[in-house]
Amino acid sequence: MLLVTIVAMPFGNVMLGMGMKHAGTLSIWPLNMLWLTALHIFSTPAIWIGVAALIGWFISYALVLSWADYSFVQPATSLGYGVTALLSWLILREYVSPIEWTGIAIICLGVFVVGRTNLKTTAHPAAATEIAEQA
Amino acid sequence: MKDFILFTLIVVAGTGGELCVSRAMKSVGEAKGFHPVELARLILRALREPWMWLGVAMMASGFFALLGALAALPVSFVVPMTALSYVVGVFGGVTFLKEKVTRQRWIGVALVALGVSLVLLGRR
């Protein structure tokens, strides 16, 4: 289930990217063109696969959070940035330069570090003392 | 210029939306349990908060800006750029929600900023 959580969002983003590339020119003005653009976007199968994957991600994320701590799940999902680049390279044949791979790895590390910090930073002083005593 | 506007919308509207929803949920209070009736009451209370509506509108704007960016740019470039929301989120948390940020979190945010800068450099 954790694997689904890590892969579903990158896969959804890749599918949205694929769908939007096929949607052609996007016009938002005049307003009737906005309607036509929306119709064009939402008649692309890849967009619906992407939306379904993002809904799947949300459900799996909620399920994982029901049995695992957020401070464990959030750092694990930091891998998503790397998985997105990998899937873009594999499915969409996008070129990712070595500098970009390095940057993406550092982003994963940064998100991992952010996720390992305390969730609540505005705890009531009494509660904070209680937590410190328990520790 | 168009890309700059889209990324600003993705990061600022997306993170601003999350901050507004967070502010609304802090006013609503924590869920006492996961019983459907209790959850429905919580959602109804949340819908009475103007911050919630503003947050949802901003998050929707952020999503449509993401679709716009994905239409023109590679996914492997757009998604790492969205990590800037961690940087904006921390600054927003400090100024808007008066949260205290630990040194470890600042280090994480600095790493994200460094990574995003490298992705930008690599794409040029």
Side-chain angles (χ1 to χ4, degrees):
Chain A
M1 191 54 80
L2 188 62
L3 194 69
V4 173
T5 307
I6 293 168
V7 175
M9 190 188 248
F11 180 71
N13 281 329
V14 167
M15 284 294 118
L16 286 182
M18 184 190 270
M20 291 306 290
K21 297 278 185 316
H22 285 118
T25 317
L26 305 175
S27 304
I28 56 169
W29 193 259
L31 275 180
N32 63 325
M33 285 307 289
L34 176 67
W35 171 249
L36 278 176
T37 299
L39 208 66
H40 209 162
I41 291 170
F42 290 106
S43 61
T44 312
I47 293 287
W48 287 106
I49 297 172
V51 170
L54 291 179
I55 293 171
W57 167 79
F58 183 76
I59 293 169
S60 67
Y61 193 62
L63 286 175
V64 168
L65 281 175
S66 70
W67 55 261
D69 286 344
Y70 180 80
S71 53
F72 165 72
V73 179
Q74 206 277 342
T77 55
S78 68
L79 286 172
Y81 290 96
V83 176
T84 303
L86 199 65
L87 292 180
S88 309
W89 178 62
L90 286 171
I91 300 173
L92 304 176
R93 304 277 171 209
E94 285 181 3
Y95 171 72
V96 184
S97 68
I99 298 178
E100 283 178 278
W101 281 118
T102 312
I104 290 164
I106 294 174
I107 291 172
C108 290
L109 182 67
V111 174
F112 180 84
V113 170
V114 168
R116 297 293 296 172
T117 53
N118 286 335
L119 285 184
K120 278 208 171 187
T121 56
T122 51
H124 190 273
T129 315
E130 199 177 303
I131 292 166
E133 279 170 3
Q134 281 171 2
Chain B
M1 186 62 190
K2 195 183 90 180
D3 298 346
F4 178 75
I5 295 171
L6 282 174
F7 282 122
T8 307
L9 259 178
I10 293 170
V11 174
V12 177
T15 314
E18 283 177 22
L19 286 168
C20 289
V21 169
S22 175
R23 187 163 184 157
M25 291 311 289
K26 277 182 182 176
S27 318
V28 168
E30 284 181 33
K32 291 184 186 105
F34 290 100
H35 192 275
V37 176
E38 179 56 37
L39 287 179
R41 274 188 195 143
L42 189 80
I43 291 167
L44 281 175
R45 278 207 303 274
L47 289 178
R48 280 201 286 267
E49 289 287 329
W51 286 111
M52 178 58 83
W53 290 101
L54 181 65
V56 169
M58 285 177 83
M59 285 165 84
S61 310
F63 179 72
F64 286 114
L66 176 75
L67 287 185
L70 288 174
L73 298 161
V75 181
S76 55
F77 175 67
V78 175
V79 172
M81 293 299 287
T82 63
L84 276 178
S85 59
Y86 284 93
V87 182
V88 176
V90 163
F91 282 104
V94 170
T95 54
F96 184 64
L97 300 174
K98 309 289 175 208
E99 290 177 352
K100 283 178 189 147
V101 178
T102 59
R103 187 188 293 177
Q104 192 184 342
R105 185 163 286 211
W106 281 119
I107 293 170
V109 165
L111 282 170
V112 170
L114 175 69
V116 170
S117 308
L118 282 177
V119 171
L120 259 174
L121 272 174
R123 187 57 58 173
R124 275 169 186 267

